[in-house]
Amino acid sequence: MNSNFSRRDFVKASAAAVGGISIATLPIETFANSSVDDTLKVALIGCGGRGTGAALQALSVKQNVKLVAMADAFRDRIDSSYQNLTKGKVKDRVDVPEERKFVGFDGYKQAIALADVVILTTPPGFRPIHFEEAVRQGKHVFMEKPVATDAPGIRRVLAAAEESKKKNLKVVVGLQRHYQKSYLETYKKVIDEGVIGDIVAARCYWNNDGVWVNERKPNQTEMEYQMRNWYYFVWLCGDHINEQHIHNIDVINWFKGGYPTEAIGMGGRQVRTDKKFGEIFDHHYVEFKYEDGMILSSSCRHQPGTVSDVSEHLIGTKGKATEGKIFDLKGNNIWRHKGEGDGDPYQVEHDVLFDCIVNNKPINDAERGAKSTMTAIMGRMATYSGKKIKWEEALNSDLNLMPDAYTWDTLPKTLPDKDGWYQIPMPGKTRAV
């Protein structure tokens, strides 16, 4: 933000940008983004690796921004994140004294209250309550994908999304392919120009070795252990079909311009044979069916030593498309994205968010992010249960995965047996909806 751009200028610009609506008719939360000293104050909720990266990107925008608060369930996460942010290029934009470092389950409320813009990067199970609170307080939001791990959480996000629109809040979800030039150019060719004709089928993949594991340590409560090893518990992560494969599924939804009406699939746990892997699968295969009958073949796998493939593919009546490339039906390349001036999409999504905040441009990814997350959850419901799952029954499911309370002594709903093993979903037996 230009240092000469005053609060008065912002309010005047806001009035002009909302198409002649009197500024007095807008909710008071609309103005939460404009600090008296013209600095956009940022709070980081969730201080792990992704949170630290998102904060670095937010603090690298051209506007006048400052990180003023941090919150995490674990003190060591705050300390590590703070250390990393204060030794790099954005260190002069970090102003978080001890009294603005909030540790514990409820610290997010205090951190949000101090900010104009909040970054929500905890494990995704917490995203619904954090987004809900940010909207309640009238704050602009960057939140990582996925935005929930169960249908009740999705419904909370969708309700908060509607409220965020009423309050003129700007929301970006970390499905960064929407901000990646190669995808945007491909979308222009495929959808706007119709180069491949009608889309009649699609494939997408997130197949690779998998991610980190945090072993159980002495004296940890069950809640602390599961939160430290959050990727392997469904209430926190949603399984890897939700946590990672959502990127690819979301691309197909984007290009298709809608969401699947049903899903059927299979999955299991073939190489994750140790108790340290919690309760999630290591592979999922889902066929998603869209309203016009199109089938998306969706595959994700975490199995070391296997073929790695993270990609999306569209098949049309006149050709085929993948990121940055279009082929005719014979396989000849007929268009390729040149990759000039692409920029880092992780940075671009923050650049866009802060530009929209300062210039009061409309942007709100929350509903789209929630519905693509719901698509991934519906896929998990299909693989866990072995049944055909319809969109409406999935979205309206009352299966709530979240704990009854958030304390270190609260027992999560998933617990190990006397030997430390967690119950693995069993198709044909597991209730997933």
Side-chain angles (χ1 to χ4, degrees), residues 149 238-242 245-246 249 253 260-268 281 283-289 296 298-300 371-391 394-395 425 427 432-433:
T149 58
D239 208 314
H240 64 107
I241 189 175
N242 188 49
H245 194 35
I246 182 179
I249 294 169
N253 287 343
T261 58
E262 62 185 55
I264 188 168
M266 63 184 73
F281 280 1
H283 64 282
H284 300 257
Y285 173 78
V286 182
E287 288 188 350
F288 291 102
K289 185 177 182 181
L296 162 62
S298 157
S299 169
C300 60
K371 289 182 176 179
S372 278
T373 301
M374 189 65 239
T375 307
I377 291 172
M378 181 170 69
R380 184 191 73 218
M381 290 173 169
T383 61
Y384 278 12
S385 68
K387 301 180 185 301
K388 180 183 289 186
I389 307 296
K390 302 280 190 178
W391 176 269
L395 180 60
V433 179

Side-chain angles (χ1 to χ4, degrees), residues 95-156:
D95 179 17
V96 190
E98 280 300 308
E99 63 269 22
R100 297 204 293 266
K101 296 175 181 175
F102 302 100
V103 181
F105 288 101
D106 293 329
Y108 70 96
K109 297 177 183 178
Q110 297 163 281
I112 289 171
L114 296 170
D116 306 313
V117 186
V118 297
I119 298 171
L120 305 180
T121 46
T122 62
F126 293 101
R127 199 84 71 244
I129 62 171
H130 292 172
F131 180 56
E132 200 172 59
E133 180 66 16
V135 172
R136 187 189 72 78
Q137 293 195 33
K139 312 298 183 175
H140 303 298
V141 176
F142 172 83
M143 59 176 169
E144 259 303 342
K145 57 72 213 166
V147 302
T149 58
D150 60 16
I154 291 293
R155 294 196 296 271
R156 294 181 77 160

